């Protein structure tokens, strides 16, 4: 019987099999990683053409004003790749709110609420599968068309850049959000890649920065509008009341310096020892600087933070730039910060929020833009419930501060240009004298009616000068639009 022959192993073939197996496992691992872990990054990559095609394959949900007026919708363009084109009927008027959606991505509400507008939100997607619909959800905003147009036209009439925000004090609902210069979001709705690139380059390079939403993305020195915060700190401290006499020299030497602070125009403030309410009404600088030195930076900072300065948790739903009260300061800097100068910074939204808090008995409500999210069949899947954001001061002090603010729009006050016959308007003017260019910003914050507040407004006009002359009429136009017959 022949002996069995030894089995010969094909070593090169085994090596090939092992290499192929390793490559197969590596390929499976890579596919798993891409599909399970890296999908979001790839979907967000602007070079991903499939994502761009999917973005415009179906109609996005509409964006509506509070009265149902459509300010963003989708129309069938009949294109092979990009079928549904976004349309913004009012163009620049609502651009700071809507933003835009394009081949490059999005901005404004279009970006912040993309999941529900596109239908990718799970609540919308499930409903679409059940009922066979393809459109995204509709957003109903809090924006009031009359207030928005009044703010837009009044600010545009100044011929200057700036922003306006109007809020319902009791709820935080944003009634108007204007930023100028603005842009036409329809320009971004083109599917011509070369044309879109040219439009984007032009708008990005525009020195007026029309793509910047100044209302929430930019902060500015608040000027004397910050005296509301300083007054709140003074009243809350228990050391001051509206009738407390405050030292008001024509010139005040800032501690530790050779610099003298003077009142606007270098004028005297009353008899040199006026009540706090008079100093507030006429917006004197030297008494508020002395109050700042007396209270100290920690007390002022605590009060500023109660109004929301320093917070980075605010979205409307677009993210909001932080309003700033400075960190460690010396006494001279503290004196200037009490006037809204030095390194104080506030967004126009914050300027409106300061008045809204006082108007609502010291309770600052969280500002918001989206009132409800509605599916194509009319089902409401989300509705904003107003919520408390900050307790800024107690009701008693808020009422005393309101009485002081009302005097600003009465004869002898700095804000008479915002007075509305038959309506008590509470307000504070501001002139930001440390603007980077050396030209003052005009600022105004107000609410009305004082006894039953329906609207609070913040106005900032870049390089506009005195707030009582330039910004106050803008605020007045917005308040009258909201109050209707009462205004």
């Amino acid at each position: 019987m022949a002996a069995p022959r030894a089995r010969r192993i094909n070593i090169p073939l085994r090596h090939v099999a092992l290499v192929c197996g390793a490559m197969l496992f590596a390929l499976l691992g890579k596919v798993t990683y891409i599909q399970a872990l890296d999908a979001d990054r790839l979907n967000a990559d602007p070079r991903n053409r499939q994502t761009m095609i999917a973005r415009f394959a179906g109609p996005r949900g509409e964006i509506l004003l509070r009265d149902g007026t459509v300010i963003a919708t989708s129309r069938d363009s009949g294109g092979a790749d990009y079928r549904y084109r976004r349309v913004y009927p009012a163009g620049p008027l609502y651009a700071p709110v809507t933003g835009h959606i394009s081949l490059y991505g999005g901005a404004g509400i279009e970006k912040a609420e993309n999941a529900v507008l596109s239908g990718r939100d799970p609540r919308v997607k499930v409903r679409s599968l059940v009922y066979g619909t393809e459109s995204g959800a509709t957003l109903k905003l809090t924006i009031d068309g009359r207030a928005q147009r009044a703010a837009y036209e009044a600010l545009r009439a100044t011929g200057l850049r700036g922003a306006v925000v109007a809020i319902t004090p009791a709820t935080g609902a944003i009634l108007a959000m204007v930023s100028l210069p603005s842009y036409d979001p329809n320009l971004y709705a083109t599917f011509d890649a070369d044309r879109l690139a040219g439009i984007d380059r032009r708008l990005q390079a525009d020195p007026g920065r029309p793509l910047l939403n100044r209302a929430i993305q930019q902060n500015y020195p608040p000027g004397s509008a910050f005296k509301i915060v300083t007054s709140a700190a003074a009243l809350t401290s228990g050391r001051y009341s509206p009738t407390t006499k405050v030292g008001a020299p024509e010139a005040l030497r800032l501690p530790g310096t050779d610099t003298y602070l003077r009142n606007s125009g270098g004028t005297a403030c009353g008899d040199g020892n006026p009540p706090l309410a008079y100093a507030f009404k006429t917006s004197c600088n030297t008494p508020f600087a002395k109050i700042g030195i007396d209270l100290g930076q920690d007390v002022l900072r605590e009060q500023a933070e109660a109004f929301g300065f320093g917070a980075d948790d605010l979205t409307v739903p677009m993210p909001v730039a932080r309003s700033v009260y400075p960190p460690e300061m010396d006494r001279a800097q503290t004196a200037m910060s009490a006037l809204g100068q030095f390194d104080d910074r506030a967004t126009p939204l914050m300027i409106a929020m300061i008045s809204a808090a006082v108007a609502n008995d010291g309770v600052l409500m969280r500002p918001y833009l989206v009132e409800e999210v509605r599916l194509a069949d009319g089902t409401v899947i989300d509705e904003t419930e107003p919520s408390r954001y900050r307790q800024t001061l107690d009701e008693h002090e808020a009422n005393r501060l309101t009485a002081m603010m009302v005097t600003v729009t009465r004869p002898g006050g700095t804000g008479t240009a915002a007075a509305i016959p038959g309506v008590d308007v509470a307000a504070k003017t501001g002139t930001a004298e440390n603007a980077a260019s050396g030209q003052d910003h005009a600022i105004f914050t107000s609410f009305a009616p004082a006894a039953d507040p329906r609207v609070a407004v913040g106005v900032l006009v870049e390089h506009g000068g005195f707030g009582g002359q330039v910004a106050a009429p803008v605020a007045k136009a917005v308040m009258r639009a909201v109050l209707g017959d009462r205004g």
Side-chain angles (χ1 to χ4, degrees):
M1 181 176 179
R5 300 172 61 183
R7 193 172 59 175
R8 301 169 67 181
I9 299 175
N10 191 328
I11 294 176
L13 183 59
R14 186 175 67 173
H15 285 171
V16 170
L18 290 173
V19 170
C20 289
M23 292 175 63
L24 178 61
F25 279 110
L27 179 61
L28 290 173
K30 184 65 175 179
V31 169
T32 301
Y33 173 78
I34 290 173
Q35 293 184 342
L37 302 176
D38 205 31
D40 290 341
R41 183 186 66 82
L42 292 173
N43 286 334
D45 193 321
R47 297 168 297 177
N48 188 338
R49 191 165 182 269
Q50 292 304 314
T51 298
M52 290 192 290
I53 291 174
R55 185 180 300 155
F56 302 101
R60 289 172 69 82
E62 293 184 325
I63 302 176
L64 315 176
L65 299 182
R66 65 189 307 183
D67 66 359
T69 301
V70 176
I71 59 173
T73 188
S74 295
R75 291 181 185 168
D76 192 341
S77 66
D81 287 339
Y82 307 119
R83 181 172 175 182
Y84 285 91
R85 178 177 176 272
R86 203 61 163 160
V87 177
Y88 303 91
L93 177 59
Y94 296 103
V97 177
T98 62
H100 61 266
I101 192 74
S102 75
L103 295 176
Y104 287 176
I109 283 285
E110 291 277 27
K111 178 180 180 180
E113 295 290 345
N114 181 60
V116 292
L117 287 168
S118 66
R120 290 175 56 196
D121 184 284
R123 297 167 300 173
V124 183
K125 188 177 293 186
V126 168
R127 196 84 176 188
S128 297
L129 291 173
V130 172
Y131 291 94
T133 59
E134 296 181 357
S135 63
T138 290
L139 295 183
K140 182 180 177 183
L141 305 183
T142 58
I143 295 292
D144 182 296
R146 297 167 302 173
Q148 182 80 4
R149 185 168 293 279
Y152 182 84
E153 293 179 351
L155 183 58
R156 187 170 61 171
T158 68
L160 299 169
R161 305 169 188 172
V164 183
V165 179
I167 302 173
T168 301
T171 64
I174 297 174
L175 303 175
M177 181 183 287
V178 168
S179 175
L180 288 180
S182 187
Y183 71 102
D184 186 353
N186 289 297
L187 295 173
Y188 276 94
T190 180
F191 294 141
D192 184 326
D194 291 337
R195 181 167 180 262
L196 177 60
I199 289 168
D200 188 58
R201 279 196 301 270
R202 175 171 59 82
L203 291 175
Q204 293 283 359
D206 190 323
R209 303 176 73 190
L211 299 177
L212 174 69
N213 184 347
R214 288 169 163 82
I216 60 174
Q217 294 177 334
Q218 182 82 19
N219 59 30
Y220 301 84
S224 290
F226 190 83
K227 289 174 183 174
I228 295 176
V229 179
T230 302
S231 296
L235 295 173
T236 301
S237 73
R239 306 211 296 264
Y240 295 85
S241 74
T243 59
T244 300
K245 298 285 188 176
V246 290
E250 289 187 20
L252 173 69
R253 184 175 178 175
L254 296 176
T257 75
D258 293 326
T259 301
Y260 283 85
L261 173 70
R262 300 181 186 277
N263 297 313
S264 179
T267 59
C269 183
D271 61 1
N273 195 37
L276 173 61
Y278 179 87
F280 186 92
K281 174 182 180 178
T282 55
S283 200
C284 298
N285 289 332
T286 58
F288 277 93
K290 292 189 70 173
I291 291 171
I293 295 169
D294 177 40
L295 294 177
Q297 60 171 308
D298 292 339
V299 172
L300 290 176
R301 185 176 299 105
E302 183 179 355
Q303 186 63 69
E305 290 175 352
F307 277 94
F309 282 78
D312 57 3
D313 61 346
L314 199 57
T315 59
V316 293
M318 300 92 81
V320 178
R322 201 162 56 99
S323 294
V324 178
Y325 187 77
E328 292 302 312
M329 298 177 286
D330 60 30
R331 295 177 73 219
Q333 293 165 340
T334 300
M336 295 303 294
S337 75
L339 313 178
Q341 305 293 341
F342 183 51
D343 286 341
D344 294 12
R345 294 292 182 272
T347 62
L349 173 62
M350 174 57 72
I351 292 169
M353 288 166 59
I354 290 172
S355 277
V358 179
N360 197 40
D361 295 331
V363 178
L364 177 59
M365 303 299 285
R366 183 178 289 274
Y368 64 98
L369 269 170
V370 179
E371 186 170 297
E372 66 179 31
V373 180
R374 186 190 310 154
L375 299 178
D377 63 1
T379 303
V380 175
I381 61 170
D382 197 6
E383 191 170 8
T384 300
E385 289 289 336
S387 61
R388 180 184 297 225
Y389 182 54
R390 291 280 195 279
Q391 180 71 49
T392 62
L393 66 168
D394 66 33
E395 182 178 352
H396 175 64
E397 306 305 348
N399 290 337
R400 295 207 291 178
L401 190 47
T402 295
M404 290 168 57
M405 292 176 67
V406 169
T407 66
V408 172
T409 59
R410 290 181 174 169
T414 57
T416 54
I420 299 174
V423 177
D424 279 336
V425 176
K428 186 69 193 77
T429 57
T431 304
E433 298 171 355
N434 63 349
S437 68
Q439 296 173 282
D440 300 344
H441 294 329
I443 300 161
F444 196 82
T445 184
S446 61
F447 64 90
D452 182 24
R454 291 176 54 196
V455 58
V457 184
V459 179
L460 186 138
V461 183
E462 293 184 9
H463 315 311
F466 185 51
Q469 295 174 350
V470 178
V474 178
K476 177 180 180 177
V478 179
M479 290 186 290
R480 293 189 66 171
V482 175
L483 298 179
D485 292 340
R486 294 178 66 179

